[in-house]
Amino acid sequence: MADIDIKDIIREENLVYKKTDVLTDNVMHYCPGCSHGVVHKLVAEVIEEMGIQEQTIGVSPVGCSVFAYNYIDIDWSEAAHGRAPAVATAIKRLMPEKFVFTYQGDGDLASIGAAEILHACNRGENIVVIFINNAIYGMTGGQMAPTTLVGMPTATSPYGRQIDLHGYPMKMTEIVATLPGTCFVTRQSVEKAAAVRKTKKAIRKAFENQKAGKGTSFIEVVSTCSSGWKVNPVKANEWMTEHMFPFYPLGDKKDCEKDPAEDYEKYMKG
Amino acid sequence: MGELRLMKGNEVIAEAAIRAGADGYFGYPITPQSEIMETLMVRKPWEETGMVVLQAESEVASINMVYGGAGCGKKVMTSSSSPGVSLMMEGISYIAGAELPCLIVNIVRGGPGLGTIQPSQADYFQSVKGGGHGDYRLIVLAPNSVQEMNDHVGLGFDLAFKYRNPALILSDGVIGQMMEKVELSDYKPRLTEEEIIEKYGDWAHIGKPANRSQNVVTSLELQSEIMEKRNQHLIEKYASMQEDVMYEEIMTEDAEYLFVAFGSSSRICQKAIELARAEGIKVGLFRPITLFPFATNQLKELGQKMKGILTVEMNAGQMVEDVKLAVECKVPVEWFGRFGGIIPSPQEIVDALKHKIIGG
Ligand SMILES: Cc1ncc(C[n+]2csc(CCOP(=O)(O)OP(=O)(O)O)c2C)c(N)n1
Ligand code: SF4
Ligand SMILES: [Mg+2]
């Protein structure tokens, strides 16, 4: 058998998959199995496919994805904890021809930044929101989030979340879907190839909505945090499928094909 | 000669912002400064200059909108009064940390807490010493007339961009609500996209062309060695601001005693000087216009020639600490003030000078 050189394999005609150039070559700091890296890749691919790398500004949160700017090769603003929607509001309003998105965790978006996300969605800011819901505060070491499931143990709910002590887990996606400013509200996941493809389609749709000036597109990605959950990545996916999906059902909650303002009359009638 | 008008201090802030070529205003209503946003909403500058005006859901949101807008290399501002400015402290610290230029207006009311809606100067410490977390400084301007409310908007933006640092106008309900004659500034056009790219293209997040590396606006740096260098750079920047120090001296040539006062207190001191001089007391006024940078050296030189200094403030004695430091306690320095929304009368100030300094 003739010797095959590596160069024989890496040839244009053999190429079936290539890392998008919109992702930098920096080694990601995320734990093995973390959903953040997959979602970063999808955002980067959509930016590349739409050819909007030079026009896109990302707003990163405080959370494990605070360093998103190290991985997606665009201009960024690193916002204070929870405030990304306010930051994005101003960027988009001052530069309406640019594409602007926030990338936020569940502690960032649903807890400390609850007011900012609700009001940005309610104003119908023409931005994209990527919401990584791993039901925990990953960055600070696995404390309880507003999204933590009942019974789920965390560093600050070591005996499991109890309703009488901690209240109920919050479904942000269902909440923002009730606001007339949002045009596309969906909940997706990235634990298997089919789900990854669906999530990418949703992200693409969200950026297309922004291009069309439709208002806020909100994409929740139900995610794993193996470190915070204290299980291995395989177990984390299983646990998510078994426990998270029944409480956080996947799928589109709202998808206005038309101008969301046309839905306003319906909304006013209740 | 610019356009002359009779206007309220707060309304002038709004008018001056439009004329300064501001790109955006983000605010939340609070007395005694709501006229700023109200005036802008009536003026509709988005139709005239393209300036964005947005009522935010809170002061937390407004200051973070300012963070976002400033990061675009745009001229953006917010205004509020004491409780609202307290809410902005986190954002202000981030803006200072990320070295962004912006303008913040605080029309101070009495505190602590919800306090009173009446005028006060009790936010001096918060404005010049920090207020938010970390080692940072704001450029702080203290207007004492409606004219200076106009002038300090343009000046504040200029200094903010010169140093890439937030500038704050520290005013109060007296000047915000009072009507005076004002010569308005001429219109300056807003910068075009090309001009912004040319001037701020090396740091603003305005979209990354293929031929440059990313612009990331952030205050985060986890490597201590680099963070210490960043702190060092900031300290040097704050020190370099001394070249823009501003102050005013009134009747100091022959003075034996000195009032030191800023903002509305300095106006009352001018009347107190008249009353005191009518009684033969030779007193003058030193008025810091920039509270940061503070005119330490200038005050030292003048102050050390005096028999005594009375610092007059509408608070429980804040700037007096900086006055004592400036004169290195080589002459007696006392404080007189009223607070809770009470404005001292000129006679009270003269009496305090007699009791605390001359008789003391
Ligand atoms: C004002 C403020 N409060 C608290 C923190 C500490 N903090 C940093 S990240 C974080 C939670 C992040 O959790 P999440 O948004 O769910 O992101 P994840 O790490 O799970 O992706 C907290 C509480 C902070 N940085 N700022
Ligand atoms: S702690 Fe959780 S969210 Fe953070 S990188 Fe690790 S797995 Fe991801
Ligand atoms: Mg989380």
Side-chain angles (χ1 to χ4, degrees), chain B residues 59 80-89 92 105-106 126 168:
Chain B
E59 291 85 353
S80 186
S81 180
S82 311
V85 176
S86 288
L87 263 186
M88 291 185 190
M89 282 300 143
I92 291 176
V105 181
N106 184 359
Q126 187 195 52
L168 181 135

Side-chain angles (χ1 to χ4, degrees), chain A residues 36 62-65 81 104-109 112 132 134 136-140 145, chain B residues 90 94:
Chain A
H36 277 305
V62 176
C64 276
S65 50
H81 197 18
Q104 304 177 256
D106 48 323
D108 193 84
L109 181 144
I112 197 166
I132 306 297
N134 53 16
I136 206 154
Y137 287 7
M139 189 193 213
T140 39
Chain B
E90 182 203 36
Y94 272 67

Side-chain angles (χ1 to χ4, degrees), chain A residues 15-128:
Chain A
L15 189 71
V16 287
Y17 178 80
K18 181 177 167 292
K19 179 184 82 67
T20 161
D21 289 339
V22 178
L23 273 187
T24 65
D25 290 328
N26 294 332
V27 176
M28 288 189 180
H29 70 287
Y30 299 115
C31 309
C34 178
S35 309
H36 277 305
V38 183
V39 181
H40 283 13
K41 184 195 79 152
L42 299 182
V43 172
E45 285 178 353
V46 166
I47 290 171
E48 177 177 52
E49 285 162 23
M50 288 178 70
I52 56 172
Q53 187 178 10
E54 298 188 13
Q55 291 99 279
T56 304
I57 290 111
V59 185
S60 70
V62 176
C64 276
S65 50
V66 64
F67 285 125
Y69 53 77
N70 283 340
Y71 311 124
I72 304 180
D73 189 20
I74 53 172
D75 280 357
W76 284 89
S77 172
E78 199 298 294
H81 197 18
R83 318 300 174 212
V87 174
T89 292
I91 298 174
K92 183 69 187 178
R93 287 196 181 226
L94 288 160
M95 303 192 303
E97 71 290 355
K98 307 285 184 206
F99 291 83
V100 182
F101 73 94
T102 72
Y103 186 104
Q104 304 177 256
D106 48 323
D108 193 84
L109 181 144
S111 193
I112 197 166
E116 284 75 19
I117 190 63
L118 287 182
H119 287 278
C121 287
N122 194 48
R123 288 189 302 264
E125 296 298 338
N126 191 24
I127 58 173
V128 173

Side-chain angles (χ1 to χ4, degrees), chain A residues 2-258:
Chain A
D3 281 343
I4 298 178
D5 191 47
I6 185 92
K7 291 201 189 75
D8 297 319
I9 300 170
I10 305 176
R11 282 191 358 218
E12 198 70 34
E13 62 266 32
N14 291 337
L15 189 71
V16 287
Y17 178 80
K18 181 177 167 292
K19 179 184 82 67
T20 161
D21 289 339
V22 178
L23 273 187
T24 65
D25 290 328
N26 294 332
V27 176
M28 288 189 180
H29 70 287
Y30 299 115
C31 309
C34 178
S35 309
H36 277 305
V38 183
V39 181
H40 283 13
K41 184 195 79 152
L42 299 182
V43 172
E45 285 178 353
V46 166
I47 290 171
E48 177 177 52
E49 285 162 23
M50 288 178 70
I52 56 172
Q53 187 178 10
E54 298 188 13
Q55 291 99 279
T56 304
I57 290 111
V59 185
S60 70
V62 176
C64 276
S65 50
V66 64
F67 285 125
Y69 53 77
N70 283 340
Y71 311 124
I72 304 180
D73 189 20
I74 53 172
D75 280 357
W76 284 89
S77 172
E78 199 298 294
H81 197 18
R83 318 300 174 212
V87 174
T89 292
I91 298 174
K92 183 69 187 178
R93 287 196 181 226
L94 288 160
M95 303 192 303
E97 71 290 355
K98 307 285 184 206
F99 291 83
V100 182
F101 73 94
T102 72
Y103 186 104
Q104 304 177 256
D106 48 323
D108 193 84
L109 181 144
S111 193
I112 197 166
E116 284 75 19
I117 190 63
L118 287 182
H119 287 278
C121 287
N122 194 48
R123 288 189 302 264
E125 296 298 338
N126 191 24
I127 58 173
V128 173
V129 177
I130 312 272
F131 169 39
I132 306 297
N133 177 9
N134 53 16
I136 206 154
Y137 287 7
M139 189 193 213
T140 39
Q143 295 85 3
M144 186 182 67
T147 42
T148 297
L149 297 183
V150 173
M152 185 176 164
T154 71
T156 49
S157 58
Y159 307 109
R161 183 181 190 142
Q162 283 167 252
I163 291 168
D164 56 350
L165 190 58
H166 307 111
Y168 298 88
M170 253 171 122
K171 298 186 179 188
M172 287 307 290
T173 296
E174 279 75 3
I175 293 171
V176 303
T178 65
L179 301 173
T182 54
C183 64
F184 175 46
V185 180
T186 188
R187 184 182 285 123
Q188 301 293 335
S189 65
V190 290
E191 84 287 6
K192 53 186 184 207
V196 170
R197 277 197 295 276
K198 273 193 182 165
T199 302
K200 183 170 166 186
K201 253 176 104 175
I203 295 172
R204 174 76 188 242
K205 180 176 214 153
F207 276 89
E208 294 288 355
N209 284 344
Q210 186 170 153
K211 197 172 181 177
K214 281 189 175 180
T216 317
S217 294
F218 185 100
I219 300 171
E220 172 177 343
V221 183
V222 181
S223 299
T224 57
C225 173
S226 45
S227 297
W229 297 358
K230 313 250 181 300
V231 290
N232 68 38
V234 175
K235 277 261 156 28
N237 271 342
E238 287 166 11
W239 194 89
M240 175 174 70
T241 310
E242 195 178 326
H243 299 278
M244 297 267 280
F245 292 167
F247 187 76
Y248 295 116
L250 305 184
D252 293 352
K253 308 294 159 200
K254 180 178 186 180
D255 187 3
C256 305
E257 280 309 324
K258 289 179 285 196

